[in-house]
Amino acid sequence: MESAHAHRKDEHLAVAEAEYRKEPAISSLNQVRLIHRSLPETALNQVSLTVDDNNFPLSSPFYIEAMTGGSQKTGLINEQLSQVAKETNIAMAVGSQSIALKEFDTIATFENVRKINPDGFIIANLGAGHTAYEAQRVVDMIGANALEVHVNVTQEIVMPEGDQNFIWLESLGEIITTSAVPVIIKEVGFGMDQTTIQQLEQIGAKYINLGGRSGTNFAKIEDRRNRSLSVEQPYQFLYDWGQTTAESLLEARYAHASIIATGGIQTPLDILKAQVLGAKAVGVAGHFLHTLLSKDVDALIAEVTLWQDQLRQLYAMVGAKQASDLTQVPYILSPELYNYAQQRHLIN
Ligand SMILES: Cc1cc2nc3c(=O)[nH]c(=O)nc-3n(C[C@H](O)[C@H](O)[C@H](O)COP(=O)(O)O)c2cc1C
Protein backbone atom coordinates (compact mmCIF):
# COMPACT_ATOMS: atom_id res chain seq x y z
CA MET A 1 0.00 0.00 0.00
CA GLU A 2 1.54 3.33 -1.08
CA SER A 3 1.53 6.46 1.13
CA ALA A 4 -0.77 9.48 0.76
CA HIS A 5 2.21 11.42 -0.66
CA ALA A 6 2.76 8.76 -3.33
CA HIS A 7 -0.96 8.73 -4.09
CA ARG A 8 -0.79 12.53 -4.66
CA LYS A 9 1.87 11.93 -7.35
CA ASP A 10 -0.49 9.56 -9.18
CA GLU A 11 -3.36 12.02 -8.87
CA HIS A 12 -1.27 14.89 -10.30
CA LEU A 13 -0.45 12.74 -13.29
CA ALA A 14 -4.02 11.56 -13.84
CA VAL A 15 -5.65 14.98 -13.41
CA ALA A 16 -3.03 16.78 -15.54
CA GLU A 17 -3.58 14.30 -18.38
CA ALA A 18 -7.39 14.40 -18.02
CA GLU A 19 -7.32 18.21 -18.21
CA TYR A 20 -4.98 18.13 -21.21
CA ARG A 21 -7.23 15.75 -23.10
CA LYS A 22 -10.24 17.90 -22.35
CA GLU A 23 -8.71 21.18 -23.46
CA PRO A 24 -5.03 21.52 -24.43
CA ALA A 25 -3.75 24.95 -23.41
CA ILE A 26 -3.43 27.76 -25.93
CA SER A 27 0.12 29.03 -25.73
CA SER A 28 0.47 32.63 -24.56
CA LEU A 29 3.23 32.88 -27.16
CA ASN A 30 0.46 33.13 -29.76
CA GLN A 31 0.46 36.77 -28.64
CA VAL A 32 3.92 37.17 -30.20
CA ARG A 33 4.49 37.23 -33.97
CA LEU A 34 7.92 36.96 -35.49
CA ILE A 35 8.59 39.02 -38.59
CA HIS A 36 9.29 36.99 -41.72
CA ARG A 37 12.22 37.91 -43.93
CA SER A 38 12.64 36.49 -47.43
CA LEU A 39 16.44 36.61 -47.49
CA PRO A 40 17.78 35.11 -44.25
CA GLU A 41 21.16 34.16 -45.81
CA THR A 42 21.47 30.92 -43.85
CA ALA A 43 21.78 27.24 -44.75
CA LEU A 44 20.31 24.42 -42.67
CA ASN A 45 23.72 22.77 -42.34
CA GLN A 46 25.08 25.92 -40.66
CA VAL A 47 22.57 25.75 -37.83
CA SER A 48 23.52 24.46 -34.39
CA LEU A 49 20.94 23.99 -31.63
CA THR A 50 23.61 23.62 -28.95
CA VAL A 51 23.29 25.80 -25.87
CA ASP A 52 26.84 26.55 -24.78
CA ASP A 53 26.89 27.60 -21.23
CA ASN A 54 29.83 26.05 -19.35
CA ASN A 55 27.70 24.93 -16.44
CA PHE A 56 24.64 24.15 -18.48
CA PRO A 57 25.60 22.62 -21.83
CA LEU A 58 22.59 21.32 -23.78
CA SER A 59 22.51 19.76 -27.23
CA SER A 60 18.97 21.13 -27.76
CA PRO A 61 17.49 24.21 -26.11
CA PHE A 62 14.35 22.36 -25.04
CA TYR A 63 14.05 19.60 -22.47
CA ILE A 64 11.61 17.39 -20.59
CA GLU A 65 10.44 19.39 -17.57
CA ALA A 66 9.87 18.05 -14.04
CA MET A 67 6.88 15.75 -13.61
CA THR A 68 7.13 12.35 -12.08
CA GLY A 69 8.58 9.88 -9.60
CA GLY A 70 7.61 8.92 -6.04
CA SER A 71 5.13 6.13 -6.73
CA GLN A 72 5.32 2.87 -8.62
CA LYS A 73 3.31 4.25 -11.52
CA THR A 74 5.19 7.55 -11.82
CA GLY A 75 8.49 5.67 -11.47
CA LEU A 76 7.61 3.79 -14.66
CA ILE A 77 6.82 7.06 -16.42
CA ASN A 78 10.22 8.38 -15.29
CA GLU A 79 11.85 5.33 -16.89
CA GLN A 80 10.07 5.98 -20.17
CA LEU A 81 10.89 9.69 -20.16
CA SER A 82 14.51 8.84 -19.42
CA GLN A 83 14.60 6.49 -22.42
CA VAL A 84 13.30 9.33 -24.59
CA ALA A 85 15.88 11.76 -23.19
CA LYS A 86 18.66 9.27 -23.87
CA GLU A 87 17.55 8.41 -27.43
CA THR A 88 17.13 12.06 -28.42
CA ASN A 89 19.99 13.46 -26.33
CA ILE A 90 17.87 16.07 -24.57
CA ALA A 91 17.97 17.04 -20.92
CA MET A 92 15.35 15.89 -18.43
CA ALA A 93 14.19 16.99 -14.99
CA VAL A 94 12.64 14.54 -12.55
CA GLY A 95 9.61 15.42 -10.41
CA SER A 96 9.97 16.61 -6.84
CA GLN A 97 12.18 14.28 -4.84
CA SER A 98 10.94 15.48 -1.44
CA ILE A 99 9.07 12.18 -1.03
CA ALA A 100 12.35 10.27 -1.40
CA LEU A 101 13.88 12.18 1.52
CA LYS A 102 11.28 10.60 3.82
CA GLU A 103 10.11 7.41 2.13
CA PHE A 104 13.30 5.65 1.16
CA ASP A 105 11.55 2.92 -0.81
CA THR A 106 10.66 5.57 -3.42
CA ILE A 107 14.32 6.46 -4.13
CA ALA A 108 14.45 3.86 -6.91
CA THR A 109 11.68 5.68 -8.83
CA PHE A 110 14.14 8.56 -9.33
CA GLU A 111 17.43 6.62 -9.46
CA ASN A 112 16.09 4.67 -12.44
CA VAL A 113 16.37 7.84 -14.56
CA ARG A 114 20.14 7.93 -14.10
CA LYS A 115 20.49 4.16 -14.51
CA ILE A 116 18.82 4.29 -17.91
CA ASN A 117 20.71 7.37 -19.07
CA PRO A 118 24.15 7.29 -17.42
CA ASP A 119 25.64 10.15 -19.46
CA GLY A 120 22.57 12.38 -19.88
CA PHE A 121 21.98 15.87 -18.51
CA ILE A 122 19.60 15.19 -15.63
CA ILE A 123 18.06 17.79 -13.36
CA ALA A 124 17.07 17.08 -9.75
CA ASN A 125 13.95 18.72 -8.27
CA LEU A 126 12.88 19.83 -4.80
CA GLY A 127 10.41 22.33 -3.37
CA ALA A 128 11.41 25.58 -1.68
CA GLY A 129 11.71 25.42 2.10
CA HIS A 130 14.19 22.54 2.13
CA THR A 131 17.71 22.84 3.50
CA ALA A 132 20.98 22.96 1.58
CA TYR A 133 21.77 19.50 2.98
CA GLU A 134 18.51 18.08 1.61
CA ALA A 135 19.22 19.74 -1.73
CA GLN A 136 22.60 18.05 -1.87
CA ARG A 137 20.99 14.69 -1.05
CA VAL A 138 18.56 14.86 -3.97
CA VAL A 139 21.36 15.88 -6.34
CA ASP A 140 23.51 12.97 -5.16
CA MET A 141 20.56 10.57 -5.37
CA ILE A 142 20.57 10.76 -9.17
CA GLY A 143 24.03 12.17 -9.90
CA ALA A 144 22.25 15.28 -11.17
CA ASN A 145 23.92 17.84 -13.42
CA ALA A 146 21.71 20.66 -12.12
CA LEU A 147 19.03 21.22 -9.48
CA GLU A 148 15.63 22.85 -9.81
CA VAL A 149 14.04 24.26 -6.68
CA HIS A 150 10.39 25.00 -7.31
CA VAL A 151 8.46 27.87 -5.76
CA ASN A 152 4.76 27.09 -5.83
CA VAL A 153 2.86 29.25 -3.35
CA THR A 154 -0.40 29.22 -5.33
CA GLN A 155 -0.34 25.43 -5.64
CA GLU A 156 0.28 25.05 -1.89
CA ILE A 157 -2.60 27.42 -1.11
CA VAL A 158 -5.08 25.49 -3.24
CA MET A 159 -3.77 22.05 -2.19
CA PRO A 160 -5.85 20.76 0.73
CA GLU A 161 -2.73 19.43 2.49
CA GLY A 162 -0.50 22.32 1.31
CA ASP A 163 2.23 24.22 3.19
CA GLN A 164 1.34 27.35 5.08
CA ASN A 165 4.79 28.92 5.41
CA PHE A 166 6.21 30.75 2.41
CA ILE A 167 9.33 32.28 3.95
CA TRP A 168 11.80 30.90 1.48
CA LEU A 169 14.45 33.41 0.42
CA GLU A 170 17.05 32.62 3.07
CA SER A 171 17.07 28.86 2.52
CA LEU A 172 17.01 29.35 -1.26
CA GLY A 173 20.09 31.58 -0.91
CA GLU A 174 21.87 28.87 1.11
CA ILE A 175 21.09 26.24 -1.49
CA ILE A 176 22.37 28.50 -4.28
CA THR A 177 25.62 29.35 -2.50
CA THR A 178 26.46 25.84 -1.35
CA SER A 179 25.31 23.71 -4.28
CA ALA A 180 27.95 21.87 -6.26
CA VAL A 181 25.75 22.01 -9.39
CA PRO A 182 23.89 24.95 -11.02
CA VAL A 183 20.63 25.80 -9.24
CA ILE A 184 17.52 26.85 -11.14
CA ILE A 185 14.75 28.55 -9.17
CA LYS A 186 11.52 27.55 -10.87
CA GLU A 187 7.86 28.59 -10.77
CA VAL A 188 5.33 25.88 -11.51
CA GLY A 189 2.90 27.79 -13.71
CA PHE A 190 2.02 31.18 -12.25
CA GLY A 191 4.88 33.13 -13.81
CA MET A 192 7.26 35.69 -12.34
CA ASP A 193 7.53 39.47 -12.25
CA GLN A 194 10.51 41.81 -12.30
CA THR A 195 10.62 42.12 -8.50
CA THR A 196 10.72 38.36 -7.95
CA ILE A 197 13.52 38.08 -10.48
CA GLN A 198 15.48 40.84 -8.70
CA GLN A 199 14.90 39.18 -5.29
CA LEU A 200 16.29 35.95 -6.70
CA GLU A 201 19.26 37.66 -8.30
CA GLN A 202 20.05 39.35 -4.98
CA ILE A 203 20.44 35.94 -3.32
CA GLY A 204 22.75 34.84 -6.13
CA ALA A 205 20.40 33.05 -8.55
CA LYS A 206 22.07 32.53 -11.91
CA TYR A 207 19.28 30.42 -13.49
CA ILE A 208 15.60 31.28 -13.24
CA ASN A 209 12.72 29.29 -14.75
CA LEU A 210 9.80 31.68 -15.12
CA GLY A 211 7.20 28.85 -15.17
CA GLY A 212 4.42 30.95 -16.67
CA ARG A 213 0.68 30.52 -16.84
CA SER A 214 -0.96 29.20 -20.03
CA GLY A 215 -0.01 25.56 -19.76
CA THR A 216 -0.54 22.97 -17.05
CA ASN A 217 -2.50 24.74 -14.33
CA PHE A 218 -1.83 23.65 -10.77
CA ALA A 219 -4.61 25.79 -9.33
CA LYS A 220 -7.00 23.70 -11.40
CA ILE A 221 -5.27 20.39 -10.70
CA GLU A 222 -5.22 20.87 -6.93
CA ASP A 223 -8.78 22.18 -6.97
CA ARG A 224 -9.94 19.04 -8.77
CA ARG A 225 -8.21 16.92 -6.12
CA ASN A 226 -9.86 18.88 -3.30
CA ARG A 227 -12.77 17.00 -1.87
CA SER A 228 -12.55 18.45 1.64
CA LEU A 229 -14.93 21.36 1.07
CA SER A 230 -18.64 21.14 0.31
CA VAL A 231 -18.31 23.42 -2.74
CA GLU A 232 -17.08 21.96 -6.03
CA GLN A 233 -13.95 23.65 -7.43
CA PRO A 234 -13.73 26.13 -4.52
CA TYR A 235 -10.72 27.95 -6.01
CA GLN A 236 -12.05 28.39 -9.54
CA PHE A 237 -11.41 32.14 -9.20
CA LEU A 238 -7.66 31.41 -9.22
CA TYR A 239 -7.60 29.59 -12.55
CA ASP A 240 -6.23 32.62 -14.37
CA TRP A 241 -4.00 33.84 -11.56
CA GLY A 242 -0.44 34.84 -12.40
CA GLN A 243 1.61 35.99 -15.36
CA THR A 244 1.60 34.02 -18.59
CA THR A 245 4.81 32.69 -20.07
CA ALA A 246 4.86 35.54 -22.62
CA GLU A 247 4.25 38.16 -19.91
CA SER A 248 6.91 36.61 -17.67
CA LEU A 249 9.44 36.73 -20.50
CA LEU A 250 8.77 40.46 -20.86
CA GLU A 251 9.14 40.86 -17.08
CA ALA A 252 12.54 39.18 -17.40
CA ARG A 253 13.80 41.52 -20.13
CA TYR A 254 16.32 43.22 -17.84
CA ALA A 255 17.38 40.11 -15.93
CA HIS A 256 21.05 39.23 -15.50
CA ALA A 257 20.37 35.58 -14.70
CA SER A 258 19.94 33.02 -17.49
CA ILE A 259 16.23 32.69 -18.15
CA ILE A 260 14.39 29.44 -18.76
CA ALA A 261 10.79 29.44 -19.99
CA THR A 262 8.18 26.81 -19.20
CA GLY A 263 4.40 26.77 -19.39
CA GLY A 264 2.16 25.94 -22.33
CA ILE A 265 4.84 25.07 -24.88
CA GLN A 266 3.04 23.16 -27.65
CA THR A 267 5.20 23.54 -30.78
CA PRO A 268 8.78 24.22 -31.93
CA LEU A 269 7.58 27.72 -32.88
CA ASP A 270 6.66 28.36 -29.22
CA ILE A 271 10.22 27.37 -28.31
CA LEU A 272 11.68 29.71 -30.90
CA LYS A 273 9.50 32.62 -29.75
CA ALA A 274 10.51 32.07 -26.11
CA GLN A 275 14.14 32.14 -27.22
CA VAL A 276 13.61 35.31 -29.23
CA LEU A 277 12.14 36.89 -26.09
CA GLY A 278 15.28 35.95 -24.16
CA ALA A 279 14.97 32.35 -22.91
CA LYS A 280 18.21 30.33 -22.91
CA ALA A 281 16.31 27.07 -22.56
CA VAL A 282 12.69 25.96 -22.68
CA GLY A 283 10.98 23.24 -20.63
CA VAL A 284 8.08 21.13 -21.89
CA ALA A 285 5.97 19.05 -19.49
CA GLY A 286 2.25 18.51 -20.15
CA HIS A 287 2.49 18.21 -23.92
CA PHE A 288 5.21 15.53 -23.84
CA LEU A 289 3.39 13.69 -21.07
CA HIS A 290 0.27 13.63 -23.21
CA THR A 291 2.15 12.18 -26.19
CA LEU A 292 3.63 9.48 -23.96
CA LEU A 293 0.35 8.56 -22.24
CA SER A 294 -1.89 8.75 -25.28
CA LYS A 295 0.65 6.98 -27.53
CA ASP A 296 3.95 5.44 -26.41
CA VAL A 297 7.71 5.90 -25.95
CA ASP A 298 8.42 5.54 -29.67
CA ALA A 299 5.87 8.24 -30.51
CA LEU A 300 7.50 10.62 -28.04
CA ILE A 301 10.97 9.86 -29.42
CA ALA A 302 9.61 10.59 -32.91
CA GLU A 303 8.02 13.83 -31.74
CA VAL A 304 11.15 15.11 -29.98
CA THR A 305 13.26 14.24 -33.03
CA LEU A 306 10.80 16.03 -35.30
CA TRP A 307 10.84 19.10 -33.02
CA GLN A 308 14.67 19.16 -33.16
CA ASP A 309 14.58 19.06 -36.99
CA GLN A 310 11.82 21.65 -37.17
CA LEU A 311 13.55 23.96 -34.71
CA ARG A 312 16.68 23.80 -36.89
CA GLN A 313 14.51 24.78 -39.88
CA LEU A 314 13.00 27.65 -37.92
CA TYR A 315 16.46 28.95 -36.92
CA ALA A 316 17.40 28.95 -40.61
CA MET A 317 14.15 30.69 -41.59
CA VAL A 318 14.80 33.59 -39.22
CA GLY A 319 18.46 33.85 -40.20
CA ALA A 320 19.96 32.37 -37.00
CA LYS A 321 22.91 30.00 -37.04
CA GLN A 322 22.93 29.70 -33.27
CA ALA A 323 20.84 30.65 -30.27
CA SER A 324 22.69 33.92 -29.66
CA ASP A 325 21.51 35.20 -33.10
CA LEU A 326 17.87 34.85 -32.08
CA THR A 327 17.75 38.03 -30.00
CA GLN A 328 18.08 39.95 -33.31
CA VAL A 329 14.82 38.55 -34.70
CA PRO A 330 12.18 41.30 -34.97
CA TYR A 331 8.73 40.65 -33.49
CA ILE A 332 5.47 42.32 -32.64
CA LEU A 333 3.20 41.84 -29.66
CA SER A 334 -0.57 41.49 -29.74
CA PRO A 335 -2.42 44.61 -28.51
CA GLU A 336 -3.18 42.84 -25.21
CA LEU A 337 0.40 41.84 -24.56
CA TYR A 338 1.65 45.26 -25.66
CA ASN A 339 -0.76 46.86 -23.24
CA TYR A 340 0.55 44.61 -20.44
CA ALA A 341 4.14 45.57 -21.24
CA GLN A 342 3.30 49.27 -21.28
CA GLN A 343 1.38 49.21 -18.00
CA ARG A 344 4.27 47.34 -16.41
CA HIS A 345 6.78 49.85 -17.89
CA LEU A 346 8.65 47.04 -19.62
CA ILE A 347 8.80 48.76 -23.02
CA ASN A 348 8.68 52.39 -24.15
C1 LIG B 1 1.95 15.63 -13.77
C2 LIG B 1 2.83 16.80 -13.49
C3 LIG B 1 3.62 16.80 -12.35
C4 LIG B 1 4.47 17.86 -12.07
N1 LIG B 1 5.29 17.81 -10.97
C5 LIG B 1 6.22 18.78 -10.78
C6 LIG B 1 7.19 18.68 -9.74
O1 LIG B 1 7.21 17.71 -8.98
N2 LIG B 1 8.08 19.68 -9.60
C7 LIG B 1 8.09 20.78 -10.43
O2 LIG B 1 8.94 21.65 -10.29
N3 LIG B 1 7.17 20.90 -11.41
C8 LIG B 1 6.27 19.94 -11.61
N4 LIG B 1 5.36 20.05 -12.64
C9 LIG B 1 5.32 21.31 -13.41
C10 LIG B 1 6.09 21.23 -14.73
O3 LIG B 1 7.44 21.01 -14.51
C11 LIG B 1 5.91 22.53 -15.52
O4 LIG B 1 6.54 23.59 -14.85
C12 LIG B 1 4.45 22.87 -15.73
O5 LIG B 1 3.69 21.71 -15.98
C13 LIG B 1 4.24 23.83 -16.90
O6 LIG B 1 4.67 23.28 -18.11
P1 LIG B 1 3.67 22.67 -19.21
O7 LIG B 1 2.63 23.70 -19.46
O8 LIG B 1 4.54 22.35 -20.37
O9 LIG B 1 3.07 21.45 -18.59
C14 LIG B 1 4.50 18.99 -12.94
C15 LIG B 1 3.71 18.98 -14.09
C16 LIG B 1 2.89 17.91 -14.38
C17 LIG B 1 2.07 17.94 -15.64
Side-chain angles (χ1 to χ4, degrees), residues 242-260:
Q243 288 82 256
T244 65
T245 301
E247 289 165 354
S248 302
L249 281 161
L250 295 177
E251 294 278 349
R253 282 189 101 186
Y254 304 108
H256 302 289
S258 291
I259 295 299
I260 299 171

Side-chain angles (χ1 to χ4, degrees), residues 12-13 16 65-67 95-96 125 150 186 215-216 218 262-264 284-286:
H12 282 161
L13 189 76
E65 193 46 278
M67 284 184 281
S96 177
N125 189 290
H150 63 261
K186 166 181 186 285
T216 300
F218 268 95
T262 304
V284 187

